[in-house]
Amino acid sequence: MTTYSLKSLGWTQHFVRQLDADTIATAKPVRLSAIHRTRLDGLSEDGPVSLNPSVLTSEYAVGDWVLADGHMASAPLERATEITRRAAGHEARPQLIAANVDTLAIVSSCNEDFNIARLERYLALAGMSGCLPLLVLTKADQVEDADDFAQRAQALSPALPVLVVNAKDPDEATKLAPWCSDGQTLALVGSSGVGKTTLQNHLTGTDEATRDIRDDDAKGRHTTTGRALRPTLHGGWLIDTPGMRELRLLEAEEGIEEVFSDILEIAAGCKFRDCAHESEPGCAVRAAIADGTLDPARLSRWRKLEAENRHNSETVAQSRARGKQLNKLYREGKARARLKRGED
């Protein structure tokens, strides 16, 4: 049985500071490796454990730290980072993707999957989560000029690390090793079929099944169906995620500001503080578009993400408020019923 030290599992002072002296002496920290409907899988210094949740399993995420009391898990400790989106479909609720991730690897491929607007969306997700972003471009062996894709991606941010790899080559996959060694946690996100599972196999030594992309549109088929924390061959951790058909941002103001900082810097020169960048006099943004400094398509994408994030955040907040009100009415109803029965 493989065992790990807390440090190698990713335990840091961020989590120690949340415990008092008595708890430190008696607590058994466990890092969650998989979330099931009614139980939690985790890793501790004593090896793998299976725990019962003390709160709804939807409140836990792969990568969370909990304290084990026998077979019972505490609520998650405060996270260092948290990757969340608005749930797919019509549900107005947040969905946890992963927790305590150091680096978010955004995986795209050098074909029709490469999409600047989607990359900006993922970069905003990284910004709101607190993770460091890393862009990985796969299928470099299938195009004549992979550098063109890399240059277009690098234009999003000069500081953004961009790796170009042939995911099927194990040696190429080791380019990601610095981000998943020495207890560091790397999470892979991106569309289906871009090579996330292939990269995972090389980095962890596992042999998960992979499926080819469709020839007609370069879109992939889902191979990863759930999230799991896996040890890498380099001494760190990897979380692979199912391909996302839709990534709806939620409470991502800081992430969007970070991705579109160039527009905000230009907008600071507008004559009016509440400039809508449409027809106002003295608009620095419109002037930048006119002189070719700013691409109007980028301004349009910024506006779209801003509006979407605002709508999603307001909708989820309203849903939370309704839930709290319903719970309050439910508790008051139960109290009245007890009074009628003379129980209080």
Side-chain angles (χ1 to χ4, degrees):
M1 179 180 67
T2 303
T3 58
Y4 304 95
S5 68
L6 288 179
K7 181 179 179 181
S8 68
L9 283 167
W11 183 258
T12 67
Q13 286 299 309
H14 171 83
F15 304 106
V16 174
R17 287 192 292 268
Q18 299 177 47
L19 312 180
D20 57 37
D22 292 336
T23 305
I24 291 174
T26 60
K28 180 181 178 181
V30 174
R31 192 164 191 204
L32 300 185
S33 56
I35 313 296
H36 304 285
R37 183 166 299 184
T38 59
R39 66 181 178 84
L40 311 169
D41 290 342
L43 297 167
S44 72
E45 289 183 298
D46 300 325
V49 295
S50 180
L51 300 172
N52 297 317
S54 58
V55 296
L56 294 175
T57 54
S58 60
E59 296 184 29
Y60 296 95
V62 169
D64 263 331
W65 281 97
V66 299
L67 302 179
D69 182 4
H71 292 289
M72 184 64 67
S74 69
L77 296 183
E78 179 185 323
R79 299 168 179 123
T81 63
E82 176 182 303
I83 305 173
T84 309
R85 67 169 177 174
R86 178 178 168 175
H90 299 294
E91 292 185 85
R93 63 176 180 83
Q95 179 188 22
L96 285 166
I97 299 173
N100 301 314
V101 170
D102 297 293
T103 304
L104 186 67
I106 303 161
V107 186
S108 183
S109 50
C110 299
N111 56 22
E112 287 83 352
D113 178 77
F114 186 88
N115 183 291
I116 290 295
R118 185 187 299 128
L119 294 179
E120 289 171 339
R121 185 177 291 265
Y122 276 113
L123 288 172
L125 177 69
M128 67 172 275
S129 70
C131 304
L132 293 174
L134 169 67
L135 184 56
V136 182
L137 299 178
T138 61
K139 305 187 189 298
D141 56 311
Q142 299 181 16
V143 294
E144 292 184 2
D145 188 8
D147 287 342
D148 174 64
F149 289 91
Q151 290 171 8
R152 289 157 61 192
Q154 192 69 76
L156 293 171
S157 171
L160 174 66
V162 178
L163 302 181
V164 179
V165 302
N166 172 8
K168 294 183 178 180
D169 185 340
D171 292 333
E172 290 274 291
T174 60
K175 291 180 180 179
L176 281 74
W179 291 276
C180 57
S181 60
D182 301 323
Q184 296 289 296
T185 301
L186 175 70
L188 304 178
V189 294
S191 306
S192 299
V194 295
K196 299 193 305 297
T197 302
T198 302
L199 288 171
Q200 171 199 282
N201 289 346
H202 292 321
L203 290 168
T204 63
T206 54
D207 191 23
E208 296 287 330
T210 61
R211 300 177 67 179
D212 292 331
I213 61 171
R214 299 195 298 249
D215 292 332
D216 56 347
D217 58 6
K219 291 185 179 180
R221 303 170 176 85
H222 287 291
T223 53
T224 301
T225 56
R227 289 173 282 276
L229 179 76
R230 295 180 173 88
T232 72
L233 301 174
H234 309 283
W237 300 91
L238 184 74
I239 300 175
D240 189 11
T241 65
M244 297 183 191
R245 288 194 174 89
E246 56 178 334
L247 172 60
R248 297 195 288 181
L249 297 179
L250 176 66
E251 298 174 352
E253 294 88 351
E254 290 186 11
I256 294 173
E257 289 178 1
E258 186 175 324
V259 173
F260 295 94
S261 59
D262 57 327
I263 295 179
L264 297 180
E265 288 175 5
I266 295 171
C270 290
K271 181 177 180 179
F272 301 105
R273 292 184 61 184
D274 59 348
C275 183
H277 318 306
E278 293 177 349
S279 58
E280 296 87 346
C283 175
V285 171
R286 301 305 302 177
I289 290 175
D291 66 21
T293 305
L294 177 64
D295 181 359
R298 181 164 169 79
L299 176 65
S300 178
R301 295 194 301 269
W302 171 63
R303 282 176 164 157
K304 180 179 179 181
L305 279 187
E306 281 264 286
E308 177 190 317
N309 178 67
R310 186 165 53 251
H311 170 74
N312 287 340
S313 300
E314 290 173 353
T315 303
V316 170
Q318 291 167 359
S319 178
R320 285 171 173 164
R322 285 196 299 271
K324 289 180 180 179
Q325 182 64 22
L326 288 173
N327 285 335
K328 180 181 178 182
L329 292 174
Y330 174 71
R331 290 194 301 271
E332 291 175 348
K334 289 186 68 175
R336 287 194 296 270
R338 287 196 300 271
L339 284 173
K340 288 182 179 180
R341 293 194 300 266
E343 295 179 5
D344 290 344

